[in-house]
Amino acid sequence: MEQTLSIIKPDAVAKGVIGKIFDRFESNGLRIAATKKLQLSRIEAKNFYAVHKERPFFNDLVDFMISGPVVVSVLEGENAMQKNRDLMGATNPKEAKAGTIRADFAENIDANAVHGSDSLENADTEIAFFFASKDIS
Ligand code: CMP
């Protein structure tokens, strides 16, 4: 069964909508195979988003991701990677379709409530960044 990585970002954690976002996953065939709440260090956030290190928004992204705790989860299900991205909606919440997580819970392109892996290859890398295989069930 396919797996993908989800991060509930500091804005959504601070708003108290972890449960509402988990409900979106579980109501749409995505099982939570592993989850934990943690505070990213600056080094961890930089490493996690290393693919974006040349982008102009990189420093703001890192600052935002360490501004408070996040919830990282492994989601499992049929087409889990694409399904999670469909549930999240567009990166910019102003462009996200009604009923998506970002349309309902996000403020702007930086504080956009959730992250989800954007390919199966990245899903494997991102899952391994946070979880040992023994902790995924
Ligand atoms: P995420 O899916 O976590 O991946 C990288 C993040 O960078 C993205 O969500 C946005 O929150 C943030 N970001 C800020 N500006 C941009 C931009 N112009 N394009 C893409 N991502 C951006």
Side-chain angles (χ1 to χ4, degrees):
M1 195 61 92
E2 198 172 296
Q3 293 180 337
T4 191
L5 185 88
S6 158
I7 304 180
I8 302 180
K9 296 188 180 185
D11 57 321
V13 171
K15 259 188 208 167
V17 293
I18 298 169
K20 287 184 177 156
I21 293 174
F22 275 4
D23 184 50
R24 301 284 173 103
F25 300 150
E26 294 189 322
S27 301
N28 288 281
L30 292 176
R31 205 175 63 77
I32 297 164
T35 193
K36 58 188 172 187
K37 186 178 185 187
L38 56 89
Q39 172 69 49
L40 283 168
S41 68
R42 185 171 294 276
I43 301 283
E44 285 170 327
K46 280 184 165 178
N47 287 340
F48 182 80
Y49 278 119
V51 50
H52 294 306
K53 67 176 184 297
E54 306 301 338
R55 309 283 293 270
F57 57 82
F58 182 68
N59 287 335
D60 286 344
L61 172 62
V62 169
D63 283 344
F64 175 67
M65 290 301 290
I66 65 173
S67 66
V70 298
V71 174
V72 294
S73 306
V74 178
L75 305 180
E76 185 176 280
E78 230 170 87
N79 301 318
M81 187 278 291
Q82 190 56 51
K83 188 177 280 183
N84 181 40
R85 291 187 67 79
D86 292 346
L87 291 174
M88 290 194 301
T91 306
N92 186 344
K94 291 184 182 75
E95 292 160 14
K97 282 193 194 137
T100 60
I101 293 170
R102 284 169 170 156
D104 290 345
F105 302 119
E107 298 307 324
N108 55 58
I109 197 165
D110 294 307
N112 66 350
V114 279
H115 165 83
S117 310
D118 63 0
S119 70
L120 290 181
E121 194 190 349
N122 284 346
D124 286 347
T125 310
E126 292 182 0
I127 289 169
F129 188 93
F130 288 110
F131 295 98
S133 16
K134 70 174 178 50
D135 294 327
I136 304 172
S137 57

